[in-house]
Each structure stands twice: as structure tokens, then as C-alpha cells.
Amino acid sequence: MVNVSTSREKRTLNWMDCLRSSGYRLTEARQAVIDVLAKSDRALNATEIFDFAREGYPSLGLVSVYRTLEKLEELNLIQKVHHPDGCQSYIAGFTGHQHLMICRVCEQAEFFEGDDLTPLIEHVSRESGFTIQEHWLQFFGICSECNNSATSNNLRKKSS
Amino acid sequence: MVNVSTSREKRTLNWMDCLRSSGYRLTEARQAVIDVLAKSDRALNATEIFDFAREGYPSLGLVSVYRTLEKLEELNLIQKVHHPDGCQSYIAGFTGHQHLMICRVCEQAEFFEGDDLTPLIEHVSRESGFTIQEHWLQFFGICSECNNSATSNNLRKKSS
DNA sequence: GTGATTGCAAAGCGTTTGCACCGTA
DNA sequence: TACGGTGCAAACGCTTTGCAATCAC
């Protein structure tokens, strides 16, 4: 089990390095976006990132958020999160193949290893003749913190 | 392994009954949409359904497609399919919890049972303290037909 | 200096809503 | 006949594109 908070502090700098070494320039707009995403343990959508980032860099444009997200995703630094209602958000990602578990109360996300999926994939592949190239697995539920909060009568449900 | 082509012929009539018994009226617009979806073994998006359905019922409006989809989904007759690029489509669904396997060449979809997922869910749940309420699993790959076509030099790749 | 990057405005796309008319029950 | 359903047009939200100004290198 890997928690997204791991080395969150260094992430901002790592991402900057990664952008620079890929030939991209380090601008204030990009820094503002990176700051927000690198520090969040929730998946955020473009507008949320825009709003948070503007607090520190008010002249930021929404377009720059989208363009920065594009590059971060291309460099595999962030990962798209799909929600059942279709809207998309973004979260800091790790290397390798990871699956997401999303809390419906606080929207915090945790990664988990899904290696146990291999037998299922092999089984299904053999039975169907399908060549399975990629899989997509997400869990939705309530994280331990929100479970505790609920039982200790201290609901933190977001009003979104 | 359950193939979507199973009893596809009867499906149109079943869906009509289901709509009627739920208090909805049977209109030409709804029939046109249902005909298309019930006969397709691909997941179709709203525009595709609109285009196909208009062939048989030219006065159909796109809005009616959306409104019919809403009702069919509410009655669990169809199921939303999420694509990696974020766009949504719809496919005839079965009762119970089923997972999708989508061919990237012909876009045909097959359902598979994902019961083997339970141990993984329990394992992850125990380790993380997460209460997992719902999961979402989709496979992407190449179906047996398209595999064969490719090897027999008879590619049927769609030009979408 | 120069070319990548920016923010604005506007266009684009898929979806939803308001509304008067229509057709099913 | 009544009211659920329709299609049109327009609004909507999110995302992308065109463009001149700007800024990192």
C-alpha cells in the first residue's frame, strides 16, 4: 500500500527538474499549477486547480492549467481520474501501473497495487480469445479516516 | 463468458415492455433509439445512436436520444461505457454486475464475470481500512475476430 | 534576441434546458 | 382529452484554438 503523501514535499522540485530536462521552460504559471497538484492528496479537476493556483498567482489563466496538465500527463507525472458521472480530474501519479481507490466523502485518493489481477486477466483472455492490452480498475468507497469520523460523530462531508 | 449477441432479437420487445410497465409511453422516437442500441454489439455514443436511428426515423431529434438513454439507464437496460479519452458511450447491459472488455479495432464489447475480483477487494480493503462500495473494471484489447483478421491479412480497422 | 509560453477571447463540442406543439394512452 | 413526450433553439460547462504580447533561456 503506497500513500500519496509519500515525499510530497520533494515532488514539486522533481517535477520542475523533469520539465526542464524534457526541454520545457519553467514558468510561474507552471509552478503554480504544479504546486497545487503536487501537494494535493485529492484528485482535482481543471477548475479546482485553477482556483487554488490563482490564490498564489492571480494572473494565471485557465488555458495554462490545461496546457500544463497536458505536459505533466505526457511525462507521466500525473494521472487522469475518471469519475462515474464522466467528469475528469487529475492526481499526482507514481511510476508503474497503479490503481486508484477514491473516497466518496473526502475525495482523497489512494493507490493500490493490482498485481493480483493477472490471473483474472489470463483467465478471461483464454476463455474469450481477447488479447488484453490494458486494464482499468478503480475502487470507490469510504476511506478509513472518514469511516472513523462518521462513527465518532464528526462528519467532514464536503458540501460540493 | 456471456456474449452480447445473446437474445438480441428479443431485446427490443423486452425493453418496450419494461418501459411500458414502468409507466413510460411507447413512442416512435424511443423505438428508433432502442432498435439501434438493442441490435448493436458495440458501445455507441449519443451522436452515433442519433445518426443510425435517423436512418429509420428521420425526424428524430438528438435531445430525444439523450432523454431515452437516461430512461434506459435508469431501468438498468443499458450501461455507460467510459473511454480512456473521457468520452462516453452506451451499450446494452445485462442484469447483475458485469465488466466490459472492449476491442480497440472493431470496438465490439463483451461482458465478462469479474467475481474473481472479490479476494483482491477484500485484501485491499483490509490493508487500507477503506470500505469499498463499488468497483469499476474495464479491459481494452483486441478481440479474437480482429486478431484472426489481422493474421489473415484482412484488417477491418475502422477509420474513426 | 528569439522562440516557447502566456492570457484573453472566441470557437468548439457534447450535453441540458425552455418552450410550444404533438401524439400516446 | 390530458399530459407525457417531442423537436427546435438556445444555453450551458468544459476544453481547445487563434493570436498578439510576454518572458525564460
Side-chain angles (χ1 to χ4, degrees):
Chain A
M1 197 65 48
V2 182
N3 193 292
V4 279
S5 67
T6 310
S7 70
R8 193 182 296 159
E9 299 70 26
K10 294 180 190 165
R11 201 147 56 195
T12 308
L13 296 173
N14 286 342
W15 288 9
M16 304 285 207
D17 280 346
C18 199
L19 274 177
R20 192 205 318 268
S21 62
S22 301
Y24 296 117
R25 293 184 182 174
L26 262 58
T27 64
E28 279 196 80
R30 282 178 184 161
Q31 282 194 35
V33 171
I34 286 174
D35 263 354
V36 170
L37 262 173
K39 285 174 185 159
S40 173
D41 57 0
R42 279 180 49 209
L44 303 170
N45 63 38
T47 315
E48 288 174 318
I49 296 168
F50 179 61
D51 289 338
F52 287 133
R54 262 168 101 88
E55 288 173 12
Y57 183 58
S59 66
L60 178 70
L62 181 57
V63 182
S64 294
V65 174
Y66 280 106
R67 287 193 274 226
T68 305
L69 288 173
E70 202 179 297
K71 286 181 178 45
L72 293 175
E73 204 191 357
E74 173 194 318
L75 297 173
N76 284 313
L77 299 172
I78 59 170
Q79 178 172 322
K80 249 189 207 149
V81 178
H82 298 258
H83 293 274
D85 57 2
C87 78
Q88 305 210 4
S89 54
Y90 297 83
I91 192 166
F94 290 90
T95 51
H97 193 80
Q98 302 256 355
H99 300 294
L100 272 179
M101 193 159 44
I102 298 163
C103 175
R104 280 172 162 163
V105 179
C106 69
E107 288 181 20
Q108 176 230 324
E110 259 182 54
F111 287 91
F112 65 90
E113 304 277 357
D115 294 331
D116 307 68
L117 217 58
T118 318
L120 173 62
I121 291 177
E122 275 170 12
H123 173 75
V124 172
S125 186
R126 206 163 34 237
E127 271 204 42
S128 64
F130 237 86
T131 306
I132 296 169
Q133 302 167 325
E134 208 178 297
H135 59 275
W136 202 18
L137 177 63
Q138 274 180 206
F139 290 164
F140 300 92
I142 299 178
C143 74
S144 52
E145 271 185 57
C146 290
N147 268 328
N148 292 336
S149 305
T151 51
S152 63
N153 225 354
N154 177 23
L155 274 161
R156 323 181 284 141
K157 187 160 175 64
K158 291 186 69 252
S159 60
S160 70
Chain B
M1 199 65 46
V2 182
N3 193 293
V4 281
S5 68
T6 310
S7 69
R8 192 181 298 160
E9 300 69 27
K10 294 178 188 166
R11 202 147 56 194
T12 307
L13 296 173
N14 286 342
W15 289 9
M16 303 285 209
D17 281 347
C18 198
L19 273 177
R20 191 205 317 269
S21 61
S22 302
Y24 296 118
R25 291 185 182 171
L26 262 58
T27 64
E28 280 195 80
R30 282 178 183 160
Q31 282 194 36
V33 171
I34 286 174
D35 263 354
V36 170
L37 261 173
K39 284 174 187 160
S40 173
D41 56 1
R42 278 181 48 208
L44 304 170
N45 63 37
T47 315
E48 288 175 318
I49 296 167
F50 179 60
D51 289 339
F52 286 132
R54 262 169 101 87
E55 288 172 12
Y57 182 58
S59 66
L60 177 69
L62 181 57
V63 182
S64 293
V65 175
Y66 281 106
R67 287 193 274 229
T68 304
L69 289 173
E70 202 179 297
K71 289 186 173 43
L72 293 176
E73 204 190 358
E74 173 193 319
L75 297 172
N76 284 313
L77 298 172
I78 59 170
Q79 178 172 322
K80 250 189 208 148
V81 178
H82 298 258
H83 293 274
D85 58 1
C87 78
Q88 306 210 6
S89 56
Y90 297 84
I91 191 165
F94 289 90
T95 51
H97 193 80
Q98 302 256 356
H99 301 294
L100 271 180
M101 195 159 43
I102 298 163
C103 176
R104 279 172 162 163
V105 178
C106 69
E107 286 179 22
Q108 176 230 323
E110 259 183 54
F111 286 90
F112 65 89
E113 304 277 356
D115 293 331
D116 307 67
L117 216 58
T118 318
L120 173 63
I121 291 177
E122 276 170 11
H123 172 74
V124 172
S125 187
R126 207 164 31 239
E127 270 203 44
S128 64
F130 237 87
T131 307
I132 295 169
Q133 301 168 327
E134 208 178 298
H135 60 274
W136 203 18
L137 177 63
Q138 274 181 209
F139 289 164
F140 300 92
I142 299 177
C143 74
S144 53
E145 272 186 56
C146 288
N147 267 327
N148 293 336
S149 305
T151 51
S152 64
N153 225 355
N154 176 24
L155 274 160
R156 321 182 285 141
K157 185 158 177 62
K158 292 186 67 257
S159 59
S160 69

